Amino acid sequence: MILSDAFFKSATIPLAKNLLGKLLAHRSSDGITIGRIVETEAYLYQKDPACHAHRGMTKRNKTMFGPAGYSYVYFIYGMYHCFNVVSGPEGVGEAVLIRALEPLKGVSLMEKRRKTEKRIQLCNGPGKLMLAMGMGIEHNGLNLRRGPVKILTPDSLEKKVPRFEIVTTTRIGISNGRDLPLRFYIKDCEYISKPSAVLC
DNA sequence: GCTGGGATCGCCT
DNA sequence: GGCGATCCCAGCG
């Protein structure tokens, strides 16, 4: 059900892979929405110029330097938010960006929030999933074991959890660090944001 | 104090 | 495939 402290304390790259297949759940006043995590990216402290924490702690990125298992949400391009799971030891700024979800529960609420009924397009991008889940900057710095935003094991919803293979590629939408193999997604999953990227 | 750019998206051609 | 929307922050002066 709820993931252990140790799960979040693993190194960032294994955590990015282990988050695939897990559930992201949000309980809001409008209702509960849950999606399966199908695409992630790792952002590392060292040798990763694309990481927000690369140049040290600032007001914006300070939750990245907190303990693992908390959320790091930031505002981007003047209109969207992105959701990360803080990883690594306290004092080290690393995180896993959640890039896409497969909608599982509260789909009609997601459709209402996204103003579309195309299921594949509800959560297939970091900005889209924030809108569909009804999350924003107010969900920065939350403990993901306690809610209202939680990460759960898939057996919370399904008895039979499908096995899957993981595909590794370069990350989307960055210039510095573009060649690093730090994006991971579930093979053959139709809910990922973009299939194209350099396979690794 | 200003300025440039950004882990995006949807609509346009 | 290209572009505009739209705003916070980091970096520089």
Side-chain angles (χ1 to χ4, degrees), chain A residues 30-77:
Chain A
D30 294 330
I32 293 176
T33 46
I34 302 179
R36 185 201 325 275
I37 298 170
V38 298
E39 178 180 345
T40 61
E41 286 180 356
Y43 285 86
L44 308 177
Y45 193 44
Q46 293 194 317
K47 297 179 183 173
D48 182 4
C51 181
H52 286 177
H54 185 245
R55 274 182 267 205
M57 187 168 14
T58 64
K59 188 175 150 193
R60 175 214 211 186
N61 68 20
K62 74 171 191 243
T63 56
M64 279 185 97
F65 290 84
Y70 281 69
S71 58
Y72 167 50
V73 176
Y74 64 89
F75 188 62
I76 189 77
Y77 296 124

Side-chain angles (χ1 to χ4, degrees), chain A residues 24-34 105 109 113 133-135 139 142 146-150 152:
Chain A
L24 181 64
H26 179 214
R27 181 192 299 269
S28 79
S29 53
D30 294 330
I32 293 176
T33 46
I34 302 179
K105 194 170 164 144
L109 179 53
R113 286 169 172 160
M133 297 288 285
M135 301 194 303
H139 298 97
L142 300 180
R146 302 221 175 125
V149 180
K150 282 184 194 166
L152 307 166

